[in-house]
Amino acid sequence: MQSALCTGSRTIELRDVARPIVSEGNVVVRVRRCGICGSDLHFFQGGFPPPAVCPGHEISAEVAEVGHGVTDLHEGDLVVVEPIVVCRECGFCRTGNYQLCRQMRVLGNALDGGFAEYTLAPAYALFALPRGVDVELGSLAEPLAVSVHAARLGGIRMGDRVLVQGAGTIGLTAITAARAAGAGEVWVTARHPQQAAAARRLGATHVFTGSNADAELSAATDSAAIDVVIETVGGAADTLNEATQLVRRGGTIVILGIFSSVPMINPLLLVLKEIRLIGSIVYGRTAARADFDIALDLLVRDPVTFRSLITHRFGLADIQQGFVTAADKTSGAIKVSIEP
């Protein structure tokens, strides 16, 4: 089969490799769609070392073969993949906080991922696509589940005013997650016109963009307190320092962005304002339902708006161009989808 590999800065190559062999408790899936994530762009652009395996973790797929002991999945089932493999035995796993398992491995990072014709996943990591969600839309479940998890950790309450820093896919899905959690207002910072437009479609009440965005945002918070900030930018941005200044006393900052350098932050402000600073990684199942389940429910509610986030589509043979397009926001890209 064909499988992608990042072989150097800004270089994705296809290779012929053996199709994965099904094993007990696991499932071989035929990848139908896999989205290019911001974290994929980090290694593509040289910010982090590339994985030694096939990348890609925003996977929707069709069950191709089931291993021994798998009884609730069948060939032809359409699914999305929660792309983490855990021990399922430690205290974190038993309480639904499996995202904190010390043995956690991520498809597309430590294990082969979805930029391939087929991949292998644990049966417990597969979620059936609900009626009204096709394979293309289903590939958005993973980034949306990331945002659902962050909104839950941030403790967003009814009527809260939430600021989302950044309007990439995670920032945009955070708008929906915050609204679903009860936020009365969601403010968003966006660097590019297509991001600002998408933020408004998804329910942002204020969008700050352009050269005066920082000044306008600072002025707006003088009379309107921000209860929760969700940081989604990362990289070398000064967003955490800005967040501590903008959030209200006793407010919360949730960090989703992947930082490539140690960010500046004023610890005195954390103390004086009693700010809660929370890190959020992937998704879990500590509430009544898995974050992935909630994400799929949200996709069912508004499939047209969510589908508009997928701005570009490429076949696996053109994955190099797909990555180039995703990395260049002047292309109008928000989510670039790969179809093996």
Side-chain angles (χ1 to χ4, degrees):
M1 70 170 189
Q2 293 279 289
S3 177
L5 188 69
C6 183
T7 57
S9 179
R10 300 188 67 84
T11 304
I12 301 286
E13 296 181 0
L14 286 182
R15 297 185 173 182
D16 288 315
V17 301
R19 175 175 156 169
I21 299 173
V22 74
S23 54
E24 184 174 359
N26 291 319
V27 176
V28 173
V29 297
R30 180 167 77 88
V31 179
R32 297 287 297 273
R33 297 289 192 282
C34 189
I36 297 177
C37 177
S39 59
D40 296 324
L41 295 178
H42 279 306
F43 69 73
F44 177 73
Q45 296 173 310
F48 293 107
V53 298
C54 172
H57 56 271
E58 299 179 1
I59 306 166
S60 63
E62 178 183 342
V63 173
E65 191 176 359
V66 299
H68 179 71
V70 178
T71 59
D72 56 347
L73 292 165
H74 305 89
E75 183 178 341
D77 288 350
L78 297 179
V79 296
V80 292
V81 180
E82 185 183 56
I84 54 177
V85 177
V86 296
C87 75
R88 306 191 80 197
E89 296 178 354
C90 69
F92 292 123
C93 288
R94 291 198 304 270
T95 57
N97 281 304
Y98 46 75
Q99 77 279 6
L100 301 177
C101 175
R102 292 180 181 273
Q103 297 183 43
M104 184 184 77
R105 293 174 293 167
V106 180
L107 272 64
N109 182 282
L111 302 169
D112 284 323
F115 293 132
E117 294 179 82
Y118 294 88
T119 195
L120 184 71
Y124 62 75
L126 303 185
F127 291 74
L129 284 178
R131 180 174 298 179
V133 177
D134 58 24
V135 290
E136 179 175 83
L137 199 58
S139 64
L140 294 175
E142 194 276 343
L144 183 50
V146 169
S147 294
V148 167
H149 186 69
R152 178 159 61 80
L153 290 182
I156 296 173
R157 297 174 297 182
M158 191 65 63
D160 274 354
R161 181 176 291 112
V162 176
L163 168 64
V164 178
Q165 293 175 302
T169 303
I170 297 297
L172 292 170
T173 55
I175 298 169
T176 297
R179 297 288 279 188
E185 294 184 22
V186 180
W187 297 7
V188 180
T189 61
R191 292 184 59 188
H192 303 282
Q194 70 271 21
Q195 296 174 336
R200 294 185 181 98
R201 288 196 302 271
L202 286 163
T205 50
H206 296 70
V207 180
F208 299 88
T209 188
S211 57
N212 294 323
D214 290 345
E216 292 174 0
L217 178 56
S218 180
T221 56
D222 285 343
S223 58
I226 300 295
D227 299 294
V228 179
V229 177
I230 301 178
E231 196 288 329
T232 75
V233 180
D238 192 35
T239 42
L240 279 186
N241 189 43
E242 294 170 353
T244 59
Q245 298 174 50
L246 296 172
V247 73
R248 68 166 171 80
R249 292 174 178 268
T252 301
I253 300 170
V254 183
I255 307 172
L256 276 179
I258 303 299
F259 285 87
S260 56
S261 59
V262 178
M264 181 183 295
I265 191 168
N266 185 345
L268 182 59
L269 274 181
L270 291 179
V271 172
L272 293 178
K273 296 174 70 174
E274 290 194 349
I275 297 169
R276 296 172 65 239
L277 189 62
I278 299 173
S280 179
I281 183 71
V282 296
Y283 12 73
R285 193 190 289 263
T286 54
R289 304 174 66 210
D291 296 320
F292 248 79
D293 278 327
I294 297 170
L296 288 168
D297 281 352
L298 294 176
L299 289 175
V300 171
R301 292 184 194 177
D302 194 0
V304 174
T305 301
F306 277 111
R307 196 182 305 279
S308 71
L309 298 182
I310 303 175
T311 54
H312 296 76
R313 299 161 177 85
F314 293 89
L316 187 60
D318 297 316
I319 190 171
Q320 171 70 26
Q321 186 57 42
F323 266 79
V324 170
T325 301
D328 178 14
K329 298 308 178 188
T330 65
S331 67
I334 296 178
K335 174 59 64 182
V336 175
S337 180
I338 303 299
E339 180 181 2

